[in-house]
Amino acid sequence: MEGASCCPAPGVFGSFDEETWATIAARNLTLAEDIGADIMTECNGCFGSLFECNHMLKESEEKKAEINANLAEIGREYKGTINVKHFAQILRDDVGFEKLASLIEKPLDLNVAVHYGCHFLKPTATIGIEDNAENPSILDDLVEITGAKSIDYKDKMMCCGAGGGLRSRDLDVTTSFTKEKLDHMTEAGVDAIVNVCPFCHLQFDQGQIEVNERYGTDFALPVFHLAQLYGLAMGLSAEELTFDAQRIDATPAIKKALGE
Amino acid sequence: MIIRGVFSMTIINRLKSLFKGDNEETDINNDVSNTSDDVQVTSSQIESEPVVAEEEPVVEVEEATVEESEDSSEDLASDDIEPIEEKVEALKEEIHEKVEAKKEEIQEKVETIKEEIHEKVEAELDAEEADEDSKNNDKERDKMTLLTDKELLTDANRDPDFTAEFIDSGIETVKHCFQCGTCSGSCPSGRRTPYKVRQIVRKCLLGLKEEVITDDALWMCTTCYTCQERCLRSVKIVEIIKKARNIAAHAGYMAKPHKMTGVFVMNTGHGVPINDATKALRAKIGLPEIPPTTHAYPEALEEVQKICKITGFDELIGYDEATGGLKE
């Protein structure tokens, strides 16, 4: 989407000034309206900002008028003609399990801890992705199509700790969230973590190093975005999937997954 | 000690009736009376039972001594008057000395006891203070109530405009909260920080603006929505927290790292701008180094920057256009 900007980050911008948050998000929505396409995000945070703003402006004429007054000054207008969808939502609802299964070239032998993140299914009152936010299945179902197994673990739906502007403001608190999640994932005996949000991804990868530094632990759970897991199962290499750019070495997990 | 004074006078009277007229009686009497008065005054200053009790044995000893001198006086009476008068004088002096010595002794004891009492009273006061402190600490720990004996909230503490801001921005559900605490019980942040979401919702409804916006804990929410999903009254809790943060930010309560995220967006259009490592990674997997976002389109960046000026976001975070950083 040419000319797109930061969504902007819901936890930070949404916490400072709702009007700025909504105007920048609405500008991004108008870019999609211009090309007549829905927006797909591979990030819970972007999904949260763009979906919520789109929903708010579609629901409230008053808010729409207020934001359009701002957009008019840069020659833009929000119309409310497109939808915002999450990557995993599109895989399940638009592509479908059957089609996905037919694309798998290398069924993966891997036990994974699925991390949903917070701004994917919630708040359920507005998001409308069909599932149960307290006990969901969409990601577990998508993971198992690749051959990998989703292992249940304690407090599975808990936040990674990075959101709401907490990571930039108070890393110690954020890290303590992540430590709790890593403890529970490790107890369940998984080989890797699967998520659908680059910010959660960052928090489990970079944040895992920070947990180990702060708590003297030796966690080494590689982190897979759902797209990377599918890429691996569809025959892409670790390099093509940029696993070499991550902090936690994914090589052992990838070897196990591919039966090497 | 009063007993002792009276007793001293009895000795003198008996000696006097044996050997002398009434002339000298007055002097001696006065002398001894004064002594006893002195002692009495000193003792009354203490007003302490143990002092009297300790003095009782002394009285017994004194009695024994006096009985001895009584016997000797009778013996002397049968001999010569002149030496007896001398002896009486000597005895009087001796008695006087003894009385003086006793006075000093008593005063010393009184001083010691006064010190002891003072120390005990101080110790008791310290203990009481310590007890009071620990009670206060208990109150500090108990954050479940908004009201403590110390701070009674009245209408004067409330800012109705603060509450109105939530209602006016569409969060009418703030009024629906019945303080069940499901939110706090579900909150992953509340398990590890002083963030108490139930209490913040209550404070927002009561209009306790200053308490809400000055509290660092307000920023400990990760906006995970667990509270809101579980709320029995469908209160838009995360919306309340974000609104309270908006009000706090506009009142100047904004952390520098948060302002810096704003600075990045104003400078590049991205909260997390591209860096050399990401450019190299993109090139390695066959993507253009620079993504087709505000990074690639200056006119798009200008739109974002203009929005931030229209809404006053630049002023809010203290953005310095000249340096591309913060003014402070």
Side-chain angles (χ1 to χ4, degrees):
Chain A
M1 198 161 72
E2 292 182 356
S5 72
C6 182
C7 52
V12 183
F13 275 73
S15 291
F16 289 169
D17 188 68
E18 192 202 32
E19 187 189 350
T20 309
W21 166 79
T23 310
I24 295 177
R27 179 189 166 274
N28 283 324
L29 293 170
T30 64
L31 297 177
E33 287 180 350
D34 286 350
I35 54 174
D38 287 345
I39 292 178
M40 177 185 82
T41 80
E42 49 133 28
C43 169
N44 290 357
C46 300
F47 181 66
S49 268
L50 296 171
F51 183 94
E52 283 285 313
C53 181
N54 199 32
H55 181 268
M56 180 178 82
L57 299 183
K58 280 182 178 178
E59 291 290 307
S60 166
E61 284 297 324
E62 194 187 334
K63 289 276 185 189
K64 187 178 165 186
E66 182 195 332
I67 299 306
N68 267 336
N70 291 338
L71 290 175
E73 304 222 14
I74 56 166
R76 295 191 170 274
E77 185 194 1
Y78 170 84
K79 299 182 185 74
T81 55
I82 58 117
N83 295 312
V84 177
K85 292 182 176 180
H86 192 284
F87 166 67
Q89 178 189 15
I90 288 173
L91 287 187
R92 184 191 70 176
D93 298 344
D94 296 342
V95 180
F97 291 156
E98 217 170 296
K99 171 78 174 168
L100 286 171
S102 73
L103 297 171
I104 301 301
E105 288 180 17
K106 296 176 179 175
L108 307 176
D109 175 19
L110 199 65
N111 294 328
V112 305
V114 170
H115 173 78
Y116 275 81
C118 305
H119 296 246
F120 170 35
L121 302 173
K122 300 179 282 187
T124 49
T126 53
I127 297 296
I129 294 175
E130 199 181 319
D131 212 334
N132 176 352
E134 291 274 35
N135 187 24
S137 63
I138 177 171
L139 295 187
D140 306 273
D141 292 342
L142 286 169
V143 159
E144 301 219 332
I145 286 170
T146 68
K149 283 188 177 57
S150 170
I151 308 295
D152 205 3
Y153 62 96
K154 187 179 173 186
D155 261 338
K156 182 175 174 179
M157 294 312 293
M158 186 184 154
C159 170
C160 70
L166 201 59
R167 181 178 165 85
S168 62
R169 194 182 203 273
D170 198 333
L171 192 57
D172 285 339
V173 177
T174 291
T175 309
S176 92
F177 272 74
T178 314
K179 159 92 166 39
E180 193 174 325
K181 291 243 27 174
L182 289 168
D183 277 335
H184 296 156
M185 289 166 167
T186 306
E187 278 165 22
V190 299
D191 304 311
I193 302 166
V194 173
N195 68 83
V196 284
C197 171
F199 203 31
C200 301
H201 192 98
L202 170 83
Q203 187 51 34
F204 281 118
D205 190 43
Q206 169 67 28
Q208 203 166 154
I209 305 290
E210 290 156 359
V211 167
N212 286 340
E213 282 169 1
R214 279 172 166 71
Y215 293 91
T217 47
D218 53 359
F219 291 114
L221 281 179
V223 190
F224 289 54
H225 190 282
L226 183 65
Q228 287 175 308
L229 192 76
Y230 266 87
L232 204 61
M234 289 174 172
L236 291 175
S237 71
E239 290 72 29
E240 285 170 309
L241 296 166
T242 68
F243 278 111
D244 52 336
Q246 297 187 183
R247 297 295 302 273
I248 304 293
D249 185 12
T251 315
I254 291 169
K255 281 188 173 171
K256 188 196 171 194
L258 299 176
E260 291 170 0
Chain B
M1 268 153 302
I2 299 166
I3 296 166
R4 191 179 163 274
V6 173
F7 164 73
S8 301
M9 284 165 70
T10 316
I11 310 166
I12 304 300
N13 286 342
R14 287 185 69 176
L15 287 170
K16 185 181 60 193
S17 63
L18 278 172
F19 313 117
K20 293 255 316 174
D22 292 327
N23 296 353
E24 284 184 24
E25 189 187 338
T26 323
D27 290 346
I28 301 164
N29 226 345
N30 282 348
D31 188 26
V32 179
S33 301
N34 287 344
T35 309
S36 69
D37 282 348
D38 284 350
V39 175
Q40 226 178 317
V41 169
T42 321
S43 69
S44 70
Q45 281 170 344
I46 315 164
E47 291 178 355
S48 177
E49 284 178 18
V51 179
V52 177
E54 277 173 29
E55 282 308 299
E56 277 169 3
V58 180
V59 174
E60 280 167 22
V61 173
E62 197 77 1
E63 246 172 60
T65 318
V66 174
E67 268 173 26
E68 269 173 32
S69 51
E70 222 175 286
D71 290 346
S72 54
S73 297
E74 277 167 9
D75 289 343
L76 288 168
S78 62
D79 295 332
D80 200 358
I81 300 291
E82 284 297 318
I84 287 168
E85 280 185 341
E86 279 172 27
K87 290 212 170 181
V88 167
E89 284 304 312
L91 272 172
K92 272 164 73 180
E93 267 177 42
E94 201 183 313
I95 288 165
H96 184 71
E97 276 169 23
K98 279 187 178 176
V99 167
E100 284 298 312
K102 267 293 155 197
K103 246 172 80 180
E104 275 175 33
E105 198 184 309
I106 287 164
Q107 261 174 345
E108 270 175 33
K109 281 193 176 179
V110 164
E111 286 302 316
T112 315
I113 289 161
K114 271 166 79 177
E115 271 174 34
E116 277 174 15
I117 289 169
H118 183 70
E119 278 170 20
K120 277 185 183 174
V121 168
E122 286 289 306
E124 269 176 35
L125 282 175
D126 285 349
E128 271 174 35
E129 272 174 33
D131 193 37
E132 194 66 24
D133 281 350
S134 74
K135 278 177 190 166
N136 285 342
N137 285 340
D138 286 342
K139 279 179 189 167
E140 276 300 302
R141 281 193 292 271
D142 179 18
K143 294 289 191 186
M144 292 302 283
T145 176
L146 295 185
L147 298 170
T148 66
D149 292 336
K150 268 187 180 173
E151 40 161 5
L152 186 63
L153 297 168
T154 67
D155 278 351
N157 299 88
R158 302 175 63 183
D159 181 349
D161 293 341
F162 182 62
T163 307
E165 287 202 56
F166 295 90
I167 313 291
D168 294 345
S169 66
I171 321 172
E172 298 89 350
T173 54
V174 70
K175 294 189 288 190
H176 300 175
C177 171
F178 55 23
Q179 291 286 291
C180 68
T182 300
C183 49
S184 282
S186 306
C187 179
S189 188
R191 298 210 285 264
R192 66 199 78 240
T193 74
Y195 176 67
K196 290 175 171 54
V197 57
R198 180 189 74 135
Q199 196 181 81
I200 292 176
V201 170
R202 186 66 175 163
K203 285 178 177 178
C204 289
L205 180 59
L206 287 175
L208 302 177
K209 182 178 178 180
E210 287 306 310
E211 287 197 28
V212 172
I213 68 173
T214 60
D215 186 0
D216 270 354
L218 178 63
W219 299 90
M220 297 298 155
C221 166
T222 64
T223 67
C224 79
Y225 285 106
T226 310
C227 56
Q228 190 164 317
E229 287 298 317
R230 296 182 182 176
C231 179
L232 306 180
R233 303 283 291 162
S234 301
V235 178
K236 289 183 180 174
I237 303 169
V238 177
E239 297 307 311
I240 291 169
I241 298 303
K242 285 204 283 184
K243 185 69 190 172
R245 284 179 173 186
N246 270 231
I247 296 166
H250 282 262
Y253 297 99
M254 198 188 298
K256 197 176 176 185
H258 285 171
K259 289 181 180 176
M260 286 311 294
T261 307
V263 166
F264 293 144
V265 169
M266 291 207 64
N267 287 338
T268 69
H270 291 279
V272 185
I274 200 159
N275 56 25
D276 288 342
T278 310
K279 281 181 194 171
L281 190 62
R282 286 178 62 87
K284 193 178 158 192
I285 58 171
L287 292 170
E289 266 194 4
I290 308 289
T293 65
T294 47
H295 278 315
Y297 297 93
E299 64 276 19
L301 176 58
E302 277 170 30
E303 288 185 10
V304 173
Q305 289 166 337
K306 197 167 178 188
I307 288 171
C308 291
K309 282 179 193 166
I310 293 164
T311 61
F313 187 77
D314 54 344
E315 292 294 325
L316 180 66
I317 63 169
Y319 180 73
D320 186 352
E321 207 171 346
T323 63
L326 292 171
K327 277 176 187 164
E328 52 197 31

